[in-house]
Amino acid sequence: QGAEQIFGYTAAEMLGQPLDKLLPTHLAEAHRAHVRRFATEPDTTRDMYHRGAEILGRRRDGTEFPAEASISKTKENGNVQFTVFLRDISVRKQAEEDIRQLNINLERRVLERTTELAAANKELETFSYSVSHDLRAPLRSIDGFSQALLEDYAERLDDQARDYLNRVRAATQRMGLLIDDMLMLSQVTRTEMQHETVDLSALATGVLAELQKSEPERKLDWRIEPGLVAEGDAQLLRVVLDNLLGNA
């Protein structure tokens, strides 16, 4: 019944017929040669599918289908009889082809996204350098003239005026640090990740100390648990803590 369903013939139609009716025409001669060799060899069973042989069946309507098959033989009174176990694997083959196409499409999409990301990173890096160049010059002027006022006109400035100028200088220096951070961030994508043991407690302490220097008028109480370590890239973790603590 299984053979009838696979091939479309009835048992009555096939009994006594040559096996070639169930094979594609171009494979019939090779199949006959294989059976003759197998008949003379000592092996009693053979798995055709896993031997890499092309196994195709032909249905009554002439359509072909992929199959896996194993063949066994017995000898009795000098006669050799063959038994074949055959399975139609069309569904499996189609599933494999679907997966192959999905993988091809996935690889293509990954390549496209990688190319787009590389272009975006290049644009980000170019933009960051441009902004850095454009911003540093006026920042240096603001900081320089603020320092000149503090040094050259110190006697004419009261405490409040000096405080204002010091605030201006602190803000320009903080802006300089932000520019450095932006440049560092733009280079992250083309820098190889460094894996090492990082002392997060020491890293956070250093970040907070710099923040305290940039805004000395702000009185903060902070506590850092000692001995906190992690595995990662120290430079990138520094960027994380700079942003996290700076925002806080």
Side-chain angles (χ1 to χ4, degrees):
Q1 292 177 353
E4 289 179 331
Q5 292 174 2
I6 291 175
F7 290 100
Y9 291 100
T10 65
E13 290 175 309
M14 280 305 301
L15 287 175
Q17 298 296 317
L19 195 61
D20 291 0
K21 292 187 67 172
L22 303 180
L23 297 171
T25 304
H26 69 283
L27 294 179
E29 180 55 40
H31 179 267
R32 287 193 294 268
H34 169 75
V35 171
R36 286 194 293 268
R37 286 195 304 271
F38 182 51
T40 62
E41 293 174 354
D43 298 347
T44 57
T45 60
R46 182 166 293 175
D47 185 343
M48 299 299 297
Y49 182 77
H50 291 97
R51 289 172 66 91
E54 182 183 25
I55 306 296
L56 292 174
R58 184 177 64 179
R59 301 184 182 92
R60 182 175 185 172
D61 61 8
T63 59
E64 299 177 2
F65 63 91
E68 62 179 16
S70 61
I71 183 171
S72 61
K73 66 183 179 184
T74 57
K75 291 184 178 181
E76 186 175 351
N77 299 324
N79 295 320
V80 181
Q81 289 188 333
F82 299 96
T83 303
V84 176
F85 291 90
L86 180 140
R87 179 180 291 110
D88 182 349
I89 58 172
S90 300
V91 174
R92 184 205 303 173
K93 284 292 187 180
Q94 183 60 51
E96 291 174 353
E97 177 60 20
D98 291 344
I99 292 173
R100 190 182 72 85
Q101 288 297 329
L102 285 173
N103 286 332
I104 291 174
N105 292 335
L106 179 60
E107 290 175 359
R108 176 179 54 80
R109 291 171 62 186
V110 168
L111 180 60
E112 290 174 354
R113 295 295 183 271
T114 301
T115 303
E116 292 172 0
L117 181 60
N121 288 337
K122 184 62 178 177
E123 291 178 3
L124 173 62
E125 187 175 347
T126 302
F127 170 77
S128 299
Y129 277 108
S130 176
V131 170
S132 170
H133 180 271
D134 293 343
L135 290 181
R136 286 188 191 278
L139 280 177
R140 282 194 296 267
S141 295
I142 295 171
D143 186 49
F145 282 115
S146 298
Q147 184 178 6
L149 283 172
L150 286 170
E151 294 176 352
D152 299 342
Y153 296 89
E155 297 178 356
R156 305 183 194 181
L157 300 174
D158 58 19
D159 290 342
Q160 189 173 28
R162 283 193 291 271
D163 179 60
Y164 287 162
L165 288 172
N166 282 325
R167 286 170 179 261
V168 171
R169 293 199 66 205
T172 58
Q173 291 165 9
R174 179 58 183 162
M175 186 64 181
L177 292 176
L178 290 174
I179 292 173
D180 292 338
D181 289 344
M182 185 171 64
L183 286 175
M184 184 185 302
L185 188 61
S186 72
Q187 296 169 357
V188 163
T189 54
R190 61 185 181 87
T191 303
E192 185 177 353
M193 187 81 71
Q194 301 296 321
H195 293 279
E196 56 188 321
T197 301
V198 181
D199 188 336
L200 292 180
S201 300
L203 206 58
T205 300
V207 170
L208 284 170
E210 289 186 6
L211 290 173
Q212 192 77 73
K213 289 180 183 178
S214 66
E215 298 184 49
E217 71 282 0
R218 297 188 62 181
K219 304 303 179 184
L220 301 177
D221 293 324
W222 40 271
R223 180 177 64 85
I224 298 176
E225 183 74 18
L228 296 178
V229 296
E231 293 295 321
D233 188 302
Q235 184 177 5
L236 299 184
L237 286 171
R238 175 59 182 263
V239 173
V240 172
L241 290 177
D242 273 335
N243 283 277
L244 179 66
L245 298 176
N247 289 338

